[in-house]
Amino acid sequence: MSPPAIIAPSILSADFAALGAACSDTIGHGADWLHIDIMDGHFVPNMTFGAPVVTKIRPHVARPASRNAKGTFDCHMMIAEPKKWVRDFKAAGCDLYCFHYEAAVASTAATSPADSTTEKTSPKDLIRFIHSEGLQAGIALKPETPVDVLWDILASEEKDEVPDMVLIMTVHPGFGGQKFMASELPKVSALRARYPDLNIEVDGGLGEGTIDEAADAGANVIVAGSAVFGAKDPADVIAKLRAAVERRRG
């Protein structure tokens, strides 16, 4: 049986003027995690917010009682130097630190914003570092990146080098409200076929009209922004997203 459904609304679509309340309300509506999009204006052309905002919203949502439990802060790090910020986001209240493969293969091994080094990091090195800090590690792929780059990472015999979650982007990262790219779902299917117990997240254009395709492919962690925060009845939308995934668990 594949992992249970996890619904992780993206707070990028929330009311920023009342963000703490929006986060707690969304958990109250039945969400499992909160998906927190961190953008630096370099790795992607948009900017959102940093660790100080995560620090401010953390008290509005109880920390998860166990691994993957309700209240998990799933921080999607769309940033050029992901290793630099692990400790800051841990201190802010992050539970799962999800970096982009594309950033990890092109960034430095600096472990704080003040560090300066020419030494390079790698996806496996970064996953080890995230785990050493007591966080779960996720690895994300842009649409243009083939899923094949993950096979060596996922097959590592070193447990600390293996990610806890894979995120397949179903839009180009950087902006909310984009159209769902069904072309990316074969990546999800390939991952699920090889790794039946893996948490596989999809992000971008998810809602009632696209959830069936994503669930059919094998996704179990569902990020939805405007579909939840823009709904008249967010609890109903969350329940429908969950039901679509649960119906397909085998």
Side-chain angles (χ1 to χ4, degrees), residues 101 141 145-153 187 194:
Y101 170 87
L141 295 185
T145 304
V147 72
D148 308 59
V149 301
L150 296 179
W151 300 145
D152 177 64
I153 298 166
K187 297 177 184 178
R194 290 194 184 208

Side-chain angles (χ1 to χ4, degrees), residues 65 77 122 182 227 236:
M77 309 303 295
S122 70
D236 181 62

Side-chain angles (χ1 to χ4, degrees), residues 47-241:
M47 296 178 68
T48 53
F49 38 74
V53 172
V54 178
T55 300
K56 290 295 185 182
I57 62 175
R58 182 74 267 186
H60 292 266
V61 176
R63 295 299 296 256
S66 58
R67 182 183 175 95
N68 295 327
K70 183 178 282 288
T72 291
F73 274 18
D74 165 26
C75 292
H76 178 193
M77 309 303 295
M78 290 171 274
I79 62 176
E81 291 285 341
K83 194 170 184 179
K84 281 187 176 184
W85 295 96
V86 173
R87 288 173 174 158
D88 280 37
F89 277 84
K90 175 187 176 180
C94 170
D95 301 295
L96 191 160
Y97 190 94
C98 184
F99 65 90
H100 268 266
Y101 170 87
E102 302 87 358
V105 297
S107 58
T108 71
T111 57
S112 79
D115 283 354
S116 179
T117 179
T118 57
E119 181 186 352
K120 296 294 185 180
T121 190
S122 70
K124 288 182 180 180
D125 173 67
L126 185 45
I127 292 166
R128 282 196 307 271
F129 182 67
I130 294 167
H131 283 152
S132 75
E133 290 295 318
L135 300 175
Q136 291 193 75
I139 186 167
L141 295 185
K142 288 182 175 182
E144 56 267 31
T145 304
V147 72
D148 308 59
V149 301
L150 296 179
W151 300 145
D152 177 64
I153 298 166
L154 288 164
S156 176
E157 295 182 359
E158 297 294 330
K159 179 181 173 183
D160 285 345
E161 293 180 349
V162 178
D164 303 287
M165 185 187 77
V166 171
L167 164 56
I168 299 299
M169 293 298 299
T170 46
V171 297
H172 291 286
F175 294 92
Q178 297 181 61
K179 186 177 179 181
F180 177 73
M181 296 171 64
S183 60
E184 301 313 297
L185 294 180
K187 297 177 184 178
V188 176
S189 298
L191 283 162
R192 181 59 69 212
R194 290 194 184 208
Y195 298 97
D197 299 324
L198 179 67
N199 277 331
I200 303 174
E201 183 173 59
V202 284
D203 177 11
L206 273 299
E208 292 180 59
T210 54
I211 184 59
D212 286 334
E213 292 177 86
D216 281 340
N220 73 296
V221 184
I222 308 300
V223 176
S226 54
V228 171
F229 285 101
K232 290 183 179 179
D233 187 347
D236 181 62
V237 173
I238 290 168
K240 287 176 178 175
L241 296 176

